[in-house]
Amino acid sequence: KNIISDELSFILQTDVGRLDSGVSDDRWTVYLKKAQLNWRVKKGFKISMGMIGLNMFNVQEKTWGHRFVEKSALDLAGWSSSADLGFGITKKITDNLSGSFLITNGEGYKESDNDNYEKLSFQILYGKKHLGKKDGFNAGIVFSKLDNDQNNSTTVEELNTETVKGFFGGWAGKGLRVGFENHLRDYDAFNQSEGEVGKLSSMYFNYDINMHSTVFVRFDSEDPNEDINDNEESTLIAGYIWNPTKGLSICPNITKTTKW
């Protein structure tokens, strides 16, 4: 991160992983995750452009707080990417209320643009954005819509449309941090008579025993398609974090997944 002037700043972030390119290659590679320019046009109003961070789960991820243990629920389910190429505006309406609207190419940061359709993402937030650093509370709603064309068709009737909508909330104070989120995913494919409806919920609990020790529990429940039986999955994550010195976290943890 760097500040260019009072109005301009940027974020440049790389990551390491396996690309979702469809090629049979398991080697790890370095890729660009963010190349984001932020322009504060005036107080409380910001424009972002480039490979920018999305607004679908950025607040929930900070409330959960343990990205090194597991991704946040929306990210883990693959219902949204954490970054994408595009343009966004963020407006602080009052001291506690803000909104953001993004137009991105919809492929995420691991793929190039492969169609002429964009992803629209919208977030309304009330309260503190980063409960991992400040006590307080937050609540908000998110919405995204993505059209894609797998067959290079020019007709609207042959588009696949994915819509994700949800709400979230969290509270932090006295060493305790809790949060929840609930989402619905509608997927309408042009070759299906009815769309698929999926449900996703997540609850997380963190408690600081002292300045060096934390315990956490998280429970996720996902049903990718309500019309298919024996398709639901729940995941329980629990662990203990010990910070013997600044910058070092030792975290024994367990993950239990149940399908039914």
Side-chain angles (χ1 to χ4, degrees), residues 41-254:
V41 181
K42 59 181 181 180
K43 185 178 180 180
F45 184 74
K46 178 180 72 175
I47 294 176
S48 301
M49 60 195 83
M51 187 70 77
I52 60 178
L54 292 190
N55 54 3
M56 291 299 291
F57 56 80
N58 59 335
V59 176
Q60 302 94 297
E61 189 173 63
K62 292 181 175 67
T63 304
W64 156 235
H66 306 307
R67 175 62 178 79
F68 67 94
V69 176
E70 187 54 89
K71 299 176 180 180
S72 59
L74 272 179
D75 194 8
L76 183 61
W79 289 14
S80 179
S81 175
S82 59
D84 203 0
L85 185 65
F87 173 90
I89 58 174
T90 302
K91 171 66 176 176
K92 189 173 182 180
I93 303 169
T94 67
D95 289 341
N96 291 315
L97 183 64
S98 64
S100 64
F101 176 73
L102 278 62
I103 302 177
T104 60
N105 69 14
E107 276 75 34
Y109 55 87
K110 290 186 178 181
E111 299 289 343
S112 59
D113 194 6
N114 56 25
D115 58 33
N116 294 321
Y117 302 96
E118 287 72 41
K119 180 175 183 176
L120 306 179
S121 305
F122 182 75
Q123 178 198 82
I124 289 289
L125 172 67
Y126 184 82
K128 303 291 184 182
K129 188 173 183 178
H130 201 326
L131 295 180
K133 292 183 177 180
K134 296 181 179 180
D135 290 348
F137 73 96
N138 63 43
I141 58 174
V142 290
F143 173 85
S144 70
K145 182 177 183 293
L146 173 64
D147 293 327
N148 63 74
D149 180 8
Q150 301 291 340
N151 300 305
N152 296 320
S153 172
T154 58
T155 63
V156 175
E157 291 78 8
E158 295 189 4
L159 291 179
N160 301 324
T161 301
E162 180 183 39
T163 303
V164 177
K165 51 190 174 183
F167 61 91
F168 62 89
W171 178 86
K174 299 181 179 180
L176 180 66
R177 189 172 74 251
V178 295
F180 73 92
E181 53 189 283
N182 192 74
H183 305 278
L184 288 176
R185 174 181 175 267
D186 295 317
Y187 184 78
D188 294 317
F190 75 91
N191 59 351
Q192 295 179 354
S193 58
E194 295 183 0
E196 299 176 4
V197 178
K199 292 183 177 180
L200 175 66
S201 62
S202 182
M203 297 178 290
Y204 19 95
F205 167 92
N206 302 271
Y207 180 68
D208 297 330
I209 301 172
N210 53 50
M211 62 183 301
H212 298 291
S213 301
T214 300
V215 292
F216 64 86
V217 178
R218 170 175 150 185
F219 181 78
D220 293 355
S221 179
E222 180 186 2
D223 185 356
N225 189 348
E226 290 184 322
D227 296 330
I228 300 177
N229 295 326
D230 304 324
N231 197 36
E232 298 181 47
E233 181 177 289
S234 62
T235 302
L236 175 67
I237 306 171
Y240 168 79
I241 301 175
W242 177 43
N243 302 114
T245 186
K246 184 178 180 180
L248 176 61
S249 297
I250 299 174
C251 179
N253 62 89
I254 60 171

Side-chain angles (χ1 to χ4, degrees), residues 1-11 37-38 40:
K1 298 181 180 180
N2 196 13
I3 297 175
I4 303 172
S5 67
D6 292 340
E7 291 81 26
L8 289 178
S9 64
F10 71 85
I11 302 172
L37 180 68
N38 295 319
R40 297 191 179 275

